[in-house]
């Protein structure tokens, strides 16, 4: 799940640059669970904007704002199209999806800051779970991620700052490498920690990243192209 | 005689840390360094320690060479990616630096530029390995260099880390990667350190026990509260609190620790953090 938090309302208003008719998008997926982009937050944002003299022309709460199809469908409604700006209460991917569906002349703006990809301990308790590094090392680390759980992203053991098993940077957290050590020891796999890990291959995560499992809409499949081999 | 020869001569070897200035005025830095000349085998030049931005350890190492003082060029993983690390490390060699100490480095959040990007493109084990590669005339990707380095490579170990086994595993990785000498983090529990040394000394590396000068009880409390991995024991604090001249007491404690180390260890690494002028008194008292 993608974790988001509210931007300061004054920063949002500044980004609207005086545009008055505002349409809102929420997201029933991650942002709703974060209490940043569900029905309740859309209402709060509406009230907050109207109090400050804006007109909220309407809102859409789609199942997943990062899906182009949902954004395109909602964008057909006139209130959305004719507003001065669209404010999106979803993660950055949601904002961009709506912006790509929108008319290029219409500003689509973020109401939230996107923070991390979470594991959900329980409703309302989110912990960063994965850094999306494109080269998963969990097999060697007892499924505790040194990139994510160690603030320095160290790959070969704890730094000198570990104090009684606690992290020097986030003092309330256990050191990721002490946890890795303890878990591997329980699994009788400490040999994995004794192996020197090579430096990360950052060429695997050059941005923007993409995965294309199918052709774009309307494209001729390669197999049907003239002259293509079977 | 250089640090390597000194350590291999079997004599008790002393190094001390000098902190570069925050700015370009090197006068005080050099004055402090001159005081140490002849009393220590080499001077460690810190790399923006505690993540507080200071004059570069490379430049200050080169300045020490001009003064006839052998530097231990400290290099952390915090601020440079692998291209900058290799480039600066080779640069240090061309300027006459012979010793290098590879460290992880404190996180930027500990310092004065909290908003900075913490790099950590490689970690300290990989940094040792990278230096070993340059010593063998190869860059990190195995490409042959026109002219290699010949560093005496050191690293850090924390004998009082708790739990110790993860630290020990990392210590062994650093040795396997090419570390030849170790300067330890501050030692407080000498019995524990003796046990560590007994095992570590079997591994063809030289160990310099880290001694941190305690300037006052207040400093000891501050270190305990704020500096990761430092635990000044209560008896030291009591001694400092009862002293009329806490600095003199701190020097006395440090001398006593160095004296202890002389009985069994390869050397001592004195960290006086901004009070480098006291290092000579510590050595003379030991």
């Amino acid at each position: 799940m993608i974790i988001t938090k509210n931007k300061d309302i004054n920063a949002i208003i500044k980004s609207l640059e005086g545009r008055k008719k505002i349409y809102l998008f929420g997201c029933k997926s991650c942002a709703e669970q974060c209490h940043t982009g569900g029905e309740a937050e859309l209402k709060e944002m509406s009230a907050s904007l109207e109090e400050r003299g804006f007109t909220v022309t309407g809102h859409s709460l789609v199942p997943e704002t990062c899906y182009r199809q949902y954004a395109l469908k909602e964008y057909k409604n006139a209130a959305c199209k004719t507003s001065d700006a669209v404010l999106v209460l979803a993660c950055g991917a949601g904002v961009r999806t709506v912006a790509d569906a929108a008319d290029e002349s219409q500003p689509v703006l973020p109401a939230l800051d996107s923070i991390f990809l979470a594991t959900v301990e329980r409703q309302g308790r989110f912990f960063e779970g994965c850094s999306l590094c494109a080269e998963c090392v969990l097999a060697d680390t007892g499924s505790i991620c040194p990139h994510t759980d160690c603030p320095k992203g160290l790959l070969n053991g704890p730094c000198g700052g570990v104090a009684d098993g606690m992290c020097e940077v986030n003092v309330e957290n256990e050191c990721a490498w002490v946890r890795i050590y303890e878990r591997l020891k329980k699994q009788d796999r400490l040999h994995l920690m004794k192996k020197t890990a090579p430096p990360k291959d950052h060429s695997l995560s050059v941005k923007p990243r993409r995965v294309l499992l199918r052709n774009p809409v309307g494209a001729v499949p390669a197999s049907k192209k003239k002259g293509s081999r079977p | 005689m250089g640090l390597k020869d000194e350590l291999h001569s079997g004599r008790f070897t002393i190094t001390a840390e000098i902190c570069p200035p925050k700015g370009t005025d090197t006068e005080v830095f050099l004055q402090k360094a001159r005081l140490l000349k002849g009393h220590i085998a080499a001077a460690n030049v810190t790399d923006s320690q505690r993540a507080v931005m200071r004059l570069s350890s490379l430049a200050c190492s080169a300045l020490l060479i001009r003064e006839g003082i052998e530097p231990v060029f400290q290099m952390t993983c915090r601020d440079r990616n692998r291209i900058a690390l290799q480039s600066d490390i080779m640069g240090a060699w061309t300027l006459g630096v012979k010793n290098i100490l590879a460290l992880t480095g404190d996180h930027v959040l500990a310092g004065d530029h909290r908003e900075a990007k913490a790099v950590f493109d490689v970690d300290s084990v990989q940094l040792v390995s990278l230096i070993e590669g340059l010593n063998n005339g190869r860059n990190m990707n195995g490409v042959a260099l026109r002219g290699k380095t010949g560093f005496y490579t050191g690293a850090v170990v924390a004998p009082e880390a708790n739990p110790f086994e993860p630290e020990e595993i990392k210590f062994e990785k650093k040795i396997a990667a090419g570390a030849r000498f170790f300067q330890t983090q501050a030692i407080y529990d000498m019995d524990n350190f003796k046990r560590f040394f007994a095992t570590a000394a079997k591994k063809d590396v030289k160990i310099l026990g880290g001694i941190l000068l305690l300037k006052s009880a207040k400093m000891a409390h501050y270190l305990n509260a704020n500096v990761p991995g430092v635990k000044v024991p209560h008896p030291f604090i009591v001694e400092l609190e009862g002293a009329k001249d806490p600095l003199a007491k701190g020097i006395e404690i440090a001398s006593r620790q160095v004296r202890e180390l002389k009985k069994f260890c390869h050397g001592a690494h004195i960290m006086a953090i901004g009070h480098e002028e006291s290092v000579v008194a510590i050595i003379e008292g030991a």
Side-chain angles (χ1 to χ4, degrees):
Chain A
M1 186 162 91
I2 306 292
I3 304 304
T4 47
K5 65 178 174 58
N6 295 321
K7 276 188 179 291
D8 179 71
I9 186 71
N10 295 317
I12 294 172
I13 285 162
K14 199 174 165 200
S15 73
L16 293 171
E17 294 178 303
R19 291 177 181 83
K20 288 294 172 197
K21 285 161 62 190
I22 314 299
Y23 191 86
L24 305 180
F25 263 81
C27 176
K28 269 196 90 60
S29 187
C30 308
E32 184 175 78
Q33 285 195 58
C34 289
H35 304 302
T36 51
E39 192 69 48
E41 293 77 33
L42 284 166
K43 279 193 182 133
E44 270 172 40
M45 182 58 79
S46 290
S48 195
L49 290 173
E50 301 219 323
E51 249 171 49
R52 291 169 170 83
F54 293 89
T55 304
V56 175
T57 53
H59 72 254
S60 299
L61 182 58
V62 297
E64 281 152 319
T65 314
C66 57
Y67 269 57
R68 183 83 167 266
Q69 300 309 315
Y70 290 125
L72 283 169
K73 197 173 148 205
E74 291 302 307
Y75 201 74
K76 282 180 184 145
N77 85 57
C80 182
K81 270 189 181 164
T82 57
S83 293
D84 300 330
V86 177
L87 186 62
V88 183
L89 284 67
C91 71
V95 179
R96 296 194 49 184
T97 307
V98 175
D100 288 347
D103 191 289
E104 288 264 319
S105 64
Q106 188 181 43
V108 176
L109 303 162
L112 309 179
D113 286 318
S114 309
I115 330 174
F116 59 90
L117 177 63
T119 67
V120 183
E121 184 189 78
R122 50 179 294 188
Q123 237 185 24
R125 285 181 63 80
F126 310 120
F127 295 89
E128 185 159 17
C130 173
S131 300
L132 306 174
C133 73
E135 197 183 25
C136 191
V137 298
L138 295 179
D140 289 342
T141 59
S143 292
I144 293 161
C145 180
H147 294 294
T148 307
D149 290 349
C150 169
K152 298 179 184 176
L154 304 181
L155 292 177
N156 280 296
C159 72
V162 54
D164 292 329
M166 303 305 277
C167 174
E168 70 165 9
V169 181
N170 300 311
V171 290
E172 72 283 5
N173 290 356
E174 245 192 291
C175 165
W177 273 103
V178 170
R179 284 169 59 213
I180 291 169
Y181 159 75
E182 282 166 355
R183 191 175 282 178
L184 289 177
K185 198 174 174 183
K186 276 181 198 155
Q187 297 175 354
D188 198 20
R189 298 201 297 159
L190 264 186
H191 63 279
L192 293 172
M193 193 169 159
K194 293 176 182 168
K195 196 170 72 174
T196 294
K200 202 79 190 154
D201 180 356
H202 292 285
S203 72
L204 298 172
S205 50
V206 174
K207 293 175 185 186
R209 298 182 262 186
R210 64 169 79 182
V211 173
L212 306 173
L213 300 181
R214 51 190 285 188
N215 292 318
V217 180
V220 182
S223 59
K224 301 263 173 75
K225 272 187 189 164
K226 234 182 169 180
S228 70
R229 291 179 192 178
Chain B
M1 192 183 279
L3 176 65
K4 184 180 178 181
D5 293 336
E6 188 78 27
L7 277 167
H8 285 266
S9 73
R11 269 194 301 276
F12 188 78
T13 303
I14 296 180
T15 56
E17 183 177 284
I18 316 187
C19 184
K22 191 163 179 62
T24 58
D25 183 349
T26 55
E27 198 43 46
V28 174
F29 170 78
L30 291 174
Q31 272 171 15
K32 287 181 174 182
R34 285 175 200 130
L35 286 175
L36 299 181
K37 194 176 173 179
H39 295 276
I40 57 172
N44 281 56
V45 184
T46 52
D47 179 16
S48 293
Q49 64 177 343
R50 302 287 304 139
V52 173
M53 188 284 296
R54 288 176 176 274
L55 186 57
S56 88
S57 55
L58 174 50
C60 289
S61 293
L63 290 175
L64 289 190
I65 292 171
R66 277 200 224 160
E67 294 286 327
I69 300 163
E70 181 160 313
V72 177
F73 169 46
Q74 295 199 180
M75 185 60 120
T76 71
C77 302
R78 180 190 58 235
D79 306 320
R80 299 166 186 83
N81 71 7
R82 61 194 81 179
I83 299 172
L85 286 169
Q86 294 177 94
S87 176
D88 283 353
I89 290 168
M90 291 193 301
W93 179 256
T94 63
L95 291 171
V97 176
K98 303 275 185 266
N99 315 301
I100 187 164
L101 187 78
L103 308 98
T104 303
D106 289 307
H107 197 276
V108 298
L109 284 178
D112 64 347
H113 287 68
R114 289 174 57 87
E115 308 78 9
K117 181 174 172 63
V119 179
F120 301 111
D121 184 27
V122 300
D123 63 28
S124 55
V125 175
Q126 295 156 354
L127 178 56
V128 170
S129 164
L130 171 164
I131 298 163
E132 184 68 7
L134 299 178
N135 279 350
N136 289 318
R138 300 269 165 189
N139 77 4
M140 268 180 84
N141 290 338
V143 174
L145 303 167
R146 186 178 298 170
K148 56 188 180 181
T149 62
F151 285 107
Y152 186 44
T153 307
V156 181
V157 64
E160 294 181 21
N162 176 32
F164 182 63
E165 198 180 359
E167 176 69 16
E168 190 179 29
I169 291 171
K170 196 165 186 179
F171 172 60
E172 281 167 9
K173 284 182 178 182
K174 286 175 179 176
I175 296 173
R180 299 285 174 261
F181 72 94
F182 283 84
Q183 291 172 315
T184 79
Q185 290 203 349
I187 300 163
Y188 296 108
D189 182 344
M190 201 52 85
D191 291 334
N192 174 75
F193 183 68
K194 271 182 197 160
R195 284 192 297 275
F196 163 77
F197 183 82
T199 317
K202 288 178 193 152
K203 303 176 197 293
D204 200 26
V205 289
K206 299 295 177 187
I207 313 271
L208 295 106
I211 303 297
L212 185 78
L213 171 64
L214 298 167
K215 285 166 260 179
S216 64
K218 194 177 151 201
M219 178 195 175
H221 286 300
Y222 177 85
L223 291 174
N224 283 351
N226 297 295
V227 179
V230 175
K231 276 181 304 175
V232 181
H234 189 64
F236 284 179
I237 297 178
V238 172
E239 264 191 84
L240 290 163
E241 272 168 351
K244 271 191 199 139
D245 182 349
L247 178 61
K249 178 55 79 178
I251 291 171
E252 185 194 315
I253 292 172
S255 291
R256 199 163 72 212
Q257 288 181 297
V258 174
R259 208 151 54 228
E260 278 294 304
L261 288 176
K262 277 184 175 170
K263 293 177 190 164
F264 65 92
C265 193
H266 300 138
H269 175 56
I270 302 171
M271 296 167 276
I273 313 181
H275 233 269
E276 290 85 355
E277 57 276 21
S278 300
V279 170
V280 178
I282 294 171
I283 296 168
E284 284 172 350

